Amino acid sequence: MLAASAAQLRAIAGLPSAVVANILEARAERIPSLLADAARAGQSLLVPPDDAFPSALRSIPGPPVLLWARGDLRLLPAPAVAIVGSRDHSRYGEEIARDLAIAAARAGVTVVSGMARGLDAVAHHGALDVGGATIGVLGCGVDVIYPRQNADLFARMYANGLLVSEHPPGERPDSPGAFPRRNRLISGLASVVVVVEAAEGSGTMLTVTSALEQGREVLVVPGPVNSPTSRGTNRLLREGATPLTEPRDLLSLFGAAVPTAAARAPGPPPCTLSPTEARVFEALTGAGRHVDELALAVGIPVGELLATLLGLEIGGLAQSLPGGQYRRAARA
């Protein structure tokens, strides 16, 4: 779409006056070229009357009056989970976020996150690594690579994912409140929000607040009690949040089961596992062992063990049992 004035913007079919005001306020001096530049860069402007505008965002508190998008718009109506967490994460958090993103992507669930460094990037990469769908929500223009260390992720998203933002092309992430407002869109696009790691007072906790206001299901990954990046998540659990301890906790909400080894691409054979994964795999038996027993046998903290077991389970090499027991998967 092209526009040279407020009158021409209002002449666009279905463009509400609030959208016009938003565009005019954002880039008044650039209106003649703004939409033309976006179109040349493969970007789209979505407004609520459009069929492509995500219906999930129409009814949230403070809904967006427009969205700029770059990528595959077909991802917007699909079932989605938001996976969010700390920028300064632990290895435990990284393994959990990646494994959950992979499990969701393999089950056909779109992974939504905020394109920040840390666990946001881990979740997006995890989904892309298995050919899954992922949506990144930005606090800047969809053509602005921020942070710069995520340049490779932006390239992958431009090719195979979808980026959306309320901010016009070229907008830097400098406007006050940009990221808190972005967070409400992350939760708004998903029916379930998973919190992997979050410090007290972090942006992730703001996403949780938005999710609860929007009536979204919130699942929280328990973390080590001595980890600063798990203080927020563990507080949520103390306050009654639903814990997430295995992939089926998440996938059951979408009517999906954890794929079995026979029904999906085989997991990596033991010879390709990391040293820690190999030790845990060797310690598993066909009858099952308790987590505490495994931790002593392998010599790693329970938190790291649970993350490793989750990865083995997603890879089809381990199976969780009631009562904190794990065993080798039947086909492993």
Side-chain angles (χ1 to χ4, degrees):
M1 293 184 293
L2 298 177
S5 67
Q8 287 174 290
L9 278 172
R10 293 188 182 96
I12 299 173
L15 196 63
S17 59
V19 175
V20 175
N22 186 295
I23 296 175
L24 291 173
E25 181 181 355
R27 290 298 171 97
E29 76 283 2
R30 292 188 53 211
I31 292 171
S33 62
L34 183 60
L35 296 176
D37 290 345
R40 283 194 293 270
Q43 300 172 29
S44 303
L45 175 61
L46 306 180
V47 294
D50 295 338
D51 290 339
F53 192 91
S55 59
L57 295 182
R58 289 192 175 104
S59 59
I60 66 171
V65 296
L66 59 80
L67 283 177
W68 299 92
R70 178 172 175 178
D72 189 350
L73 296 178
R74 294 174 298 177
L75 304 185
L76 287 171
V81 56
I83 299 179
V84 296
S86 176
R87 289 174 171 83
D88 300 313
H89 57 80
S90 67
R91 180 180 176 185
Y92 164 80
E94 180 176 352
E95 291 177 349
I96 294 292
R98 175 174 170 80
D99 290 343
L100 289 173
I102 289 173
R106 282 176 168 164
V109 178
T110 297
V111 173
V112 180
S113 200
M115 291 294 289
R117 65 177 175 85
L119 294 185
D120 284 18
V122 169
H124 290 304
H125 277 301
L128 292 167
D129 285 346
V130 294
T134 183
I135 299 173
V137 186
L138 303 176
C140 56
V142 294
D143 56 343
V144 176
I145 297 176
Y146 179 85
R148 294 300 304 178
Q149 57 262 49
N150 279 354
D152 61 330
L153 175 58
F154 273 80
R156 297 186 75 186
M157 294 292 288
Y158 288 153
N160 297 298
L162 174 67
L163 296 177
V164 298
S165 175
E166 290 180 281
H167 299 266
E171 183 93 342
R172 300 292 303 170
D174 302 325
S175 59
F179 289 101
R181 288 182 57 78
R182 175 207 62 173
N183 291 349
R184 87 191 195 288
L185 300 185
I186 294 173
S187 57
L189 283 169
S191 59
V192 180
V193 176
V194 173
V195 188
V196 178
E197 282 186 321
E200 292 280 14
S202 64
T204 299
M205 298 297 281
L206 294 177
T207 305
V208 172
T209 300
S210 293
L212 295 175
E213 291 174 348
Q214 295 162 355
R216 302 311 193 240
E217 185 81 24
V218 177
L219 301 181
V220 179
V221 176
V225 296
N226 60 349
S227 171
T229 55
S230 290
R231 287 176 184 162
T233 47
N234 289 341
R235 177 174 64 78
L236 290 172
L237 292 170
R238 289 196 304 273
E239 294 173 351
T242 302
L244 188 159
T245 59
E246 53 185 329
R248 63 172 54 89
D249 294 340
L250 168 62
L251 299 185
S252 64
L253 297 176
F254 294 94
V258 179
T260 64
R264 66 177 177 201
C271 62
T272 66
L273 298 177
S274 71
T276 299
E277 289 171 329
R279 293 195 344 255
V280 172
F281 178 80
E282 290 300 322
L284 292 170
T285 67
R289 301 180 74 178
H290 193 272
V291 168
D292 293 339
E293 181 186 354
L294 284 169
L296 288 173
V298 181
I300 62 175
V302 171
E304 183 179 352
L305 173 64
L306 288 172
T308 304
L309 286 167
L310 179 60
L312 291 174
E313 187 174 3
I314 290 173
L317 298 177
Q319 180 182 1
S320 62
L321 302 170
Q325 302 270 335
Y326 284 83
R327 69 181 180 188
R328 286 193 186 187
R331 298 177 177 270

